[in-house]
Amino acid sequence: MHDFGPKSRILKRVLRSANCLGCIFSAHTVETAFEARFGKIDKPKLVLGNAIDPAYLKPRGERAALRRAQGIADGRIVVAYVGSMGKDRGIDLMLQTAARRKFPNLVWLFVGGRPDDVEAWQRQSKNLGLSHDAVQFAGFEPQSALGNWYEMADILCAPYPRRMQGWDYVASMKLMEYQAVGKLAVVATMPFAREILSPQDTIFFDPDEPQALDQALAKALETFASGRSTRAAIVQETWDTKAKSLIAWLKTLSVPAGTSL
């Protein structure tokens, strides 16, 4: 289980079925939120979690050269957002923060999004008087290229607002990438973020509080300037190790005669 709707009738029916041997969750937050809404699951459970392939996060170019190619001047601090550019991802909050120009040395870099979403945010950025020197939109990038974009970043940002569907439980794959690349991050204090991100490397903030992003950024910039933000990237569990955990769990289940796993 990775996500569920407000009623989840089909899912509840499946869980009551004798043919359902157990339930696998992508995160503890998903398990907790589902059972809080619909009651305890009377089946064997496994929080398997997700995994990413660290190989695609390795940069293929040198940091300084990548930044020059993107037109980012030496000495500028890059705050990067990687992921969906939909309306409920906090893009508006970041652009409004950029428009206040409280942090003039920042370059806001947005990576991802469908063309129509990116065009809409570009128009809003222009209406706010933000130049390409302050805000850049890379648009959709293939997974194989993400390592270069993460390499350009100094600080990562994920200000997901509470109105985002599944805010209280969703297991965001992008936050797993944020964890893996070893960069300082400014992230909304959503449950899954607190489940996987270390408070030593993450500035958490309430995305619905006025000026909270400004305050979090100020703290992140202080940490960045001190050099305390540098650490080795975390080695993630791979899909192979997850598969081994899954197989081991499946072997513990009581399987009806004639059923093959």
Side-chain angles (χ1 to χ4, degrees), residues 91-129:
I91 311 300
D92 52 342
L93 182 59
M94 289 182 278
L95 291 179
Q96 291 161 12
T97 299
R100 286 194 288 272
R101 295 173 173 80
K102 185 176 180 179
F103 309 103
N105 198 38
L106 295 186
V107 177
W108 293 82
L109 178 62
F110 296 90
V111 182
R114 300 179 304 182
D116 54 341
D117 287 332
V118 174
E119 289 173 8
W121 291 121
Q122 285 175 321
R123 287 194 297 272
Q124 181 166 329
S125 177
K126 184 177 180 180
N127 291 338
L128 288 170

Side-chain angles (χ1 to χ4, degrees), residues 54-180:
Y56 76 80
L57 296 176
K58 293 180 180 178
R60 298 183 177 184
E62 192 269 333
R63 172 184 165 86
L66 292 169
R67 287 166 62 113
R68 284 196 300 271
Q70 194 62 22
I72 299 172
D74 293 343
R76 300 293 297 277
I77 298 174
V78 176
V79 177
Y81 168 90
V82 182
S84 168
M85 297 288 286
K87 63 178 182 178
D88 291 335
R89 292 298 187 273
I91 311 300
D92 52 342
L93 182 59
M94 289 182 278
L95 291 179
Q96 291 161 12
T97 299
R100 286 194 288 272
R101 295 173 173 80
K102 185 176 180 179
F103 309 103
N105 198 38
L106 295 186
V107 177
W108 293 82
L109 178 62
F110 296 90
V111 182
R114 300 179 304 182
D116 54 341
D117 287 332
V118 174
E119 289 173 8
W121 291 121
Q122 285 175 321
R123 287 194 297 272
Q124 181 166 329
S125 177
K126 184 177 180 180
N127 291 338
L128 288 170
L130 295 168
S131 68
H132 180 74
D133 187 53
V135 177
Q136 297 189 18
F137 297 89
F140 172 79
E141 289 289 333
Q143 193 176 60
S144 59
L146 289 182
N148 283 349
W149 295 99
Y150 278 118
E151 180 69 7
M152 287 186 237
D154 297 303
I155 299 170
L156 300 172
C157 189
Y160 303 141
R162 282 187 172 82
R163 65 179 181 271
M164 184 180 79
Q165 182 178 353
W167 188 90
D168 63 333
Y169 66 83
V170 69
S172 167
M173 294 297 288
K174 286 305 168 190
L175 291 183
M176 294 188 69
E177 291 180 359
Y178 281 24
Q179 178 198 50

Side-chain angles (χ1 to χ4, degrees), residues 1-259:
M1 191 186 303
H2 179 69
D3 196 358
F4 55 86
K7 295 183 179 179
S8 297
R9 292 190 183 96
I10 295 176
L11 185 54
K12 288 187 289 183
R13 186 182 305 166
V14 169
L15 290 169
R16 289 194 297 266
S17 169
N19 294 321
C20 177
L21 302 180
C23 186
I24 302 166
F25 295 95
S26 62
H28 288 286
T29 53
V30 181
E31 176 189 18
T32 300
F34 183 85
E35 293 193 335
R37 287 166 172 78
F38 305 113
K40 292 289 184 179
I41 296 174
D42 187 24
K43 300 283 185 179
K45 296 178 291 185
L46 171 67
V47 178
L48 183 63
N50 281 312
I52 58 173
D53 181 0
Y56 76 80
L57 296 176
K58 293 180 180 178
R60 298 183 177 184
E62 192 269 333
R63 172 184 165 86
L66 292 169
R67 287 166 62 113
R68 284 196 300 271
Q70 194 62 22
I72 299 172
D74 293 343
R76 300 293 297 277
I77 298 174
V78 176
V79 177
Y81 168 90
V82 182
S84 168
M85 297 288 286
K87 63 178 182 178
D88 291 335
R89 292 298 187 273
I91 311 300
D92 52 342
L93 182 59
M94 289 182 278
L95 291 179
Q96 291 161 12
T97 299
R100 286 194 288 272
R101 295 173 173 80
K102 185 176 180 179
F103 309 103
N105 198 38
L106 295 186
V107 177
W108 293 82
L109 178 62
F110 296 90
V111 182
R114 300 179 304 182
D116 54 341
D117 287 332
V118 174
E119 289 173 8
W121 291 121
Q122 285 175 321
R123 287 194 297 272
Q124 181 166 329
S125 177
K126 184 177 180 180
N127 291 338
L128 288 170
L130 295 168
S131 68
H132 180 74
D133 187 53
V135 177
Q136 297 189 18
F137 297 89
F140 172 79
E141 289 289 333
Q143 193 176 60
S144 59
L146 289 182
N148 283 349
W149 295 99
Y150 278 118
E151 180 69 7
M152 287 186 237
D154 297 303
I155 299 170
L156 300 172
C157 189
Y160 303 141
R162 282 187 172 82
R163 65 179 181 271
M164 184 180 79
Q165 182 178 353
W167 188 90
D168 63 333
Y169 66 83
V170 69
S172 167
M173 294 297 288
K174 286 305 168 190
L175 291 183
M176 294 188 69
E177 291 180 359
Y178 281 24
Q179 178 198 50
V181 296
K183 298 288 177 87
L184 182 66
V186 175
V187 179
T189 182
M190 58 193 299
F192 181 68
R194 287 196 171 275
E195 180 177 329
I196 68 164
L197 297 176
S198 165
Q200 283 72 44
D201 307 311
T202 311
I203 311 300
F204 293 106
F205 72 101
D206 184 339
D208 294 343
E209 283 291 325
Q211 308 299 315
L213 179 54
D214 282 11
Q215 295 167 6
L217 274 172
K219 187 174 180 180
L221 290 170
E222 179 183 351
T223 301
F224 178 76
S226 72
R228 300 195 307 272
S229 62
T230 303
R231 65 169 173 80
I234 297 174
V235 177
Q236 295 291 311
E237 288 191 80
T238 66
W239 288 115
D240 286 341
T241 61
K242 292 292 184 183
K244 291 177 182 177
S245 298
L246 175 58
I247 291 170
W249 179 74
L250 289 172
K251 290 179 178 178
T252 69
L253 300 179
S254 298
V255 181
T259 303

